Amino acid sequence: MTFLLTILVFMVVTVSAQDKQITQNSTPEQRAKMQTEWMKTNLALSQTQVDQVYNLNLQYAQKNAPILESTKGKLYKYKQLKASQEEKSAAISKILDAEQYRKYQELQEQMMKTIKEKRK
């Protein structure tokens, strides 16, 4: 479940067992960098956008770290991370142009569909 939550927050479309280990053992800075690179590649970000997105990704990776490391239940973690992702998505919408944001939302939907299919 922790891995599922990590995927939700960090927008990893497909992850192998090795990638899972890397993601779970990474620092917030490393996760922010991975997310930013993923977004740069998939959304064709400008350098200004890359800088802004990295700062936002870092902010949320740091905010979410205590939740991911918490010993509280899976439902608690899920709800906290989902709320955090919604806040972050709203902030991202102010950085991306309309087409980039549409694609961002589309990729997130595809990711969630993939996650649900793998859980079956």
Side-chain angles (χ1 to χ4, degrees):
M1 185 62 164
T2 301
F3 177 60
L4 174 63
L5 295 172
T6 303
I7 291 175
L8 173 66
V9 176
F10 302 111
M11 301 179 302
V12 178
V13 177
T14 55
V15 181
S16 68
Q18 183 179 11
D19 291 337
K20 177 182 173 183
Q21 188 75 12
I22 291 168
T23 302
Q24 286 182 334
N25 294 326
S26 62
T27 66
E29 292 78 12
Q30 290 168 325
R31 289 190 297 267
K33 185 176 180 181
M34 286 188 315
Q35 287 177 287
T36 303
E37 286 299 318
W38 182 87
M39 292 176 74
K40 179 180 175 183
T41 301
N42 289 287
L43 302 174
L45 302 180
S46 70
Q47 188 56 50
T48 301
Q49 288 174 314
V50 169
D51 296 339
Q52 292 172 332
V53 165
Y54 174 77
N55 290 332
L56 187 66
N57 285 337
L58 180 58
Q59 174 188 345
Y60 279 89
Q62 290 170 336
K63 177 181 177 180
N64 293 332
I67 298 167
L68 293 170
E69 295 167 4
S70 169
T71 58
K72 293 188 179 185
K74 294 174 185 177
L75 184 59
Y76 168 82
K77 288 180 181 183
Y78 172 77
K79 287 180 178 181
Q80 294 296 308
L81 292 171
K82 183 175 181 178
S84 180
Q85 180 61 27
E86 288 171 2
E87 287 176 19
K88 181 180 170 185
S89 192
I92 285 174
S93 73
K94 295 174 183 164
I95 297 171
L96 303 179
D97 65 33
E99 180 59 26
Q100 288 170 320
Y101 189 67
R102 184 200 60 74
K103 187 170 182 181
Y104 168 78
Q105 290 179 310
E106 182 181 294
L107 291 169
Q108 280 195 314
E109 288 173 18
Q110 287 175 352
M111 176 188 63
M112 290 309 299
K113 185 178 177 181
T114 300
I115 290 168
K116 287 178 183 179
E117 289 173 0
K118 286 185 177 184
R119 286 177 54 186
K120 290 180 182 180

